[in-house]
């Protein structure tokens, strides 16, 4: 795939940004394009507007940037896809790309000669549908183990690297008013997202949810709750709730992402660290899910506008912009070489950079059938943690649900 991109790659020498030429190339007639995303937070919207403006100038256009709430983005896109009235540049959460590309609403990026060299394989796959790349993510994210340094030091507990070490550490860190470990196990895709590293790293697969490897992963969470090392309230906690518990000193360790770092740094007298999530046994490779958004060029009525949008997309994914976005938003650059430099410059992100090396797109195995499996997984988590079913029983039902017509 990288070779295909490389063969087609062109350089915009005047701008220093990745090029977009060929059919639908830029013409003097196009002076503005539109961009749509779900960055409705005022600060985040302003940051992206600034970045889009910069890349728009490099491409010779102004970018009219609009944001809508996340829940309304996909319905809006689906309504406008058939009429070819989508924006010129469209941001999608990476698991949604499969569904939208499947409608024929997006254009393959290789036709614009966009440089995708150096992207990690898992990150490229997040923007790929049926062998063609339709979206690129300037930066990505994933989850890791965050821990309270003072609590671990006082208890004489080392940062756990295996599941057995995790259970032992969580038990030793638990005391009245404090749990050793916290996860988000709620009945949403967030709950599934947090469970995936344990499932995948143990050799489990969403195509076969009733496997022994999947049951072992779910049993770990059950054991943590049953032992009292993890609160039963994790069944209802969001990732934000888990963060709040950690900051308040009510849990010593948690699974969470780099989007929490800014708030952690503002917490007074909180000394925290971050490490890759533990695996079941030494030697297993850690596999975490990829978070982040891909930028795409939809089919529109104007080939010239598509060409300009592709130039802006390429610019967003150039190393300098990628690095700037990562530092600004505490995410991981998608090009491996840029990520390595970033880890040295921002040490608190080093564990996330390492975890991204082996990260996997949630849709890599099931494509647009992923949401059904994700729902079955979080339903099984709920059933097992409440004691309604054993992990084996819950996952057997999950497999039946995920594969039913």
């Amino acid at each position: 795939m990288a070779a295909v991109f490389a063969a087609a790659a062109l350089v915009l020498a005047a701008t220093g940004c990745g090029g977009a030429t060929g059919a639908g190339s830029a013409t003097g007639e196009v002076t503005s394009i539109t961009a749509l995303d779900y960055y409705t937070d005022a600060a985040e919207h302003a940051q992206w507007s600034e970045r889009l403006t910069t890349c728009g100038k490099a491409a010779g256009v102004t970018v009219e940037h609009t944001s809508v709430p996340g829940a309304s983005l996909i319905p809006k896109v689906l309504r406008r896809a058939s009429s070819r009235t989508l924006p010129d540049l469209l941001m999608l959460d990476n698991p949604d790309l499969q569904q939208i590309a499947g409608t024929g609403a997006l254009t393959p990026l290789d036709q614009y000669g966009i440089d995708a060299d150096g992207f990690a394989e898992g990150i490229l796959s997040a923007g790929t549908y049926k062998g063609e790349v339709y979206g690129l993510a300037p930066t990505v994210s994933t989850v890791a183990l965050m821990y309270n340094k003072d609590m671990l030091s006082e208890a004489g507990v080392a940062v756990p690297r295996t599941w057995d070490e995790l259970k032992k550490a969580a038990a030793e860190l638990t005391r009245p008013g404090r749990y050793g470990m916290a996860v988000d196990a709620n009945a949403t895709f967030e709950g599934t997202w947090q469970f995936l590293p344990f499932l995948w790293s143990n050799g489990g697969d969403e195509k076969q949810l009733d496997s022994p490897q999947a049951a072992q992963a779910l049993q770990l969470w059950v054991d943590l709750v049953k032992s009292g090392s993890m609160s039963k309230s994790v069944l209802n906690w969001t990732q934000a709730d888990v963060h709040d518990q950690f900051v308040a000193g009510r849990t010593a360790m948690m699974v969470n992402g780099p989007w929490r770092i800014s708030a952690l740094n503002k917490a007074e007298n909180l000394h925290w660290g971050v490490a890759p999530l533990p695996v079941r046994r030494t030697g297993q490779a850690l596999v975490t899910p990829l978070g982040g958004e891909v930028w795409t060029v939809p089919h529109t009525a104007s080939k010239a506008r598509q060409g300009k949008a592709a130039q802006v997309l390429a610019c967003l994914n150039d190393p300098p912009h990628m690095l700037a976005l990562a530092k600004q938003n505490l995410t991981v650059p998608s090009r491996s070489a840029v990520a390595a430099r970033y880890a040295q410059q921002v040490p608190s992100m080093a564990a996330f950079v390492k975890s991204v090396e082996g990260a996997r797109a949630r849709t890599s195995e099931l494509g647009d059938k992923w949401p059904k499996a994700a729902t079955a997984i979080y339903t099984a988590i709920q059933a097992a943690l409440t004691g309604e079913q054993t992990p084996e029983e819950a996952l057997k039902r999950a497999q039946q649900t995920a594969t039913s017509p």
Side-chain angles (χ1 to χ4, degrees):
M1 188 176 300
V4 172
F5 275 105
L10 297 171
V11 178
L12 291 181
T15 66
C17 290
T21 60
S25 63
T27 71
E29 300 173 1
V30 179
T31 59
S32 67
I33 63 170
T34 57
L36 179 66
D37 58 37
Y38 56 43
Y39 301 127
T40 54
D41 174 80
E44 196 171 32
H45 179 86
Q47 289 171 356
W48 276 99
S49 288
E50 180 182 358
R51 192 65 51 187
L52 287 165
T53 296
T54 300
C55 284
K57 286 180 179 178
V61 294
T62 59
V63 180
E64 300 170 9
H65 177 209
T66 304
S67 300
V68 298
S72 64
L73 179 64
I74 296 305
K76 185 180 184 74
V77 169
L78 291 173
R79 284 195 304 271
R80 296 175 61 180
S82 59
S83 60
R84 297 286 177 93
T85 57
L86 285 168
D88 302 302
L89 193 60
L90 174 65
M91 183 279 296
L92 296 169
D93 192 13
N94 75 72
D96 293 327
L97 180 129
Q98 300 286 319
Q99 178 187 11
I100 304 305
T103 69
L106 306 178
T107 62
L109 298 183
D110 62 347
Q111 66 182 271
Y112 305 110
I114 294 175
D115 174 21
D117 185 50
F119 279 74
E121 182 180 350
I123 297 173
L124 261 188
S125 72
T128 301
Y129 176 73
K130 292 188 175 180
E132 292 195 274
V133 176
Y134 288 88
L136 287 178
T139 65
V140 294
S141 62
T142 192
V143 288
L145 183 73
M146 293 179 161
Y147 57 92
N148 186 303
K149 290 182 175 181
D150 293 336
M151 291 179 183
L152 267 67
S153 178
E154 291 168 3
V157 172
V159 177
R161 294 170 298 175
T162 66
W163 290 1
D164 283 344
E165 290 177 1
L166 176 64
K167 288 196 287 187
K168 182 179 179 182
E172 293 179 2
L173 290 163
T174 298
R175 57 196 59 185
R178 186 179 84 195
Y179 291 94
M181 180 67 175
V183 300
D184 167 355
N186 71 20
T188 70
F189 288 171
E190 267 193 14
T192 299
W193 157 266
Q194 290 228 331
F195 179 68
L196 287 176
F198 301 92
L199 172 69
W200 287 347
S201 300
N202 196 42
D205 196 305
E206 56 270 34
K207 292 188 296 185
Q208 194 64 46
L209 292 173
D210 54 355
S211 69
Q213 293 86 352
Q216 289 169 345
L218 187 49
Q219 187 66 56
L220 170 66
W221 281 22
V222 170
D223 290 346
L224 287 167
V225 171
K226 278 189 174 181
S227 68
S229 297
M230 193 158 72
S231 172
K232 292 181 180 179
S233 296
V234 298
L235 286 160
N236 301 308
W237 285 348
T238 65
Q239 291 183 133
D241 294 328
V242 171
H243 165 89
D244 291 344
Q245 293 291 317
F246 183 77
V247 171
R250 291 191 288 269
T251 185
M253 299 182 291
M254 68 170 176
V255 176
N256 229 314
W259 50 86
R260 297 294 164 195
I261 290 178
S262 293
L264 290 175
N265 285 337
K266 294 176 184 176
E268 293 184 9
N269 301 317
L270 177 63
H271 305 114
W272 59 276
V274 59
L277 286 167
V279 293
R280 186 167 70 89
R281 63 177 185 274
T282 302
Q284 282 184 321
L286 175 64
V287 185
T288 62
L290 270 176
E293 296 82 19
V294 294
W295 287 87
T296 67
V297 178
H299 278 292
T300 62
S302 170
K303 293 287 187 181
R305 294 176 71 92
Q306 288 175 197
K308 285 294 187 181
Q311 289 183 34
V312 175
L313 185 153
C315 178
L316 290 174
N317 284 277
D318 271 352
H321 290 286
M322 187 176 281
L323 184 60
L325 282 165
K327 290 181 176 179
Q328 192 173 50
N329 300 315
L330 290 172
T331 47
V332 177
S334 294
R335 297 182 196 264
S336 300
V338 182
R341 295 199 301 271
Y342 176 63
Q344 294 178 339
Q345 296 172 15
V346 188
S348 62
M349 290 296 297
F352 293 105
V353 169
K354 182 174 179 60
S355 297
V356 161
E357 291 173 2
R360 182 187 302 172
R362 283 157 281 178
T363 53
S364 62
E365 295 290 336
L366 298 180
D368 57 9
K369 296 181 177 63
W370 162 249
K372 190 173 184 179
T375 301
I377 290 171
Y378 71 63
T379 302
I381 293 170
Q382 291 273 310
L385 295 192
T386 58
E388 175 188 337
Q389 293 180 311
T390 66
E392 290 80 6
E393 292 168 340
L395 290 166
K396 181 177 181 180
R397 185 171 68 179
Q399 177 65 16
Q400 293 169 346
T401 300
T403 57
S404 63

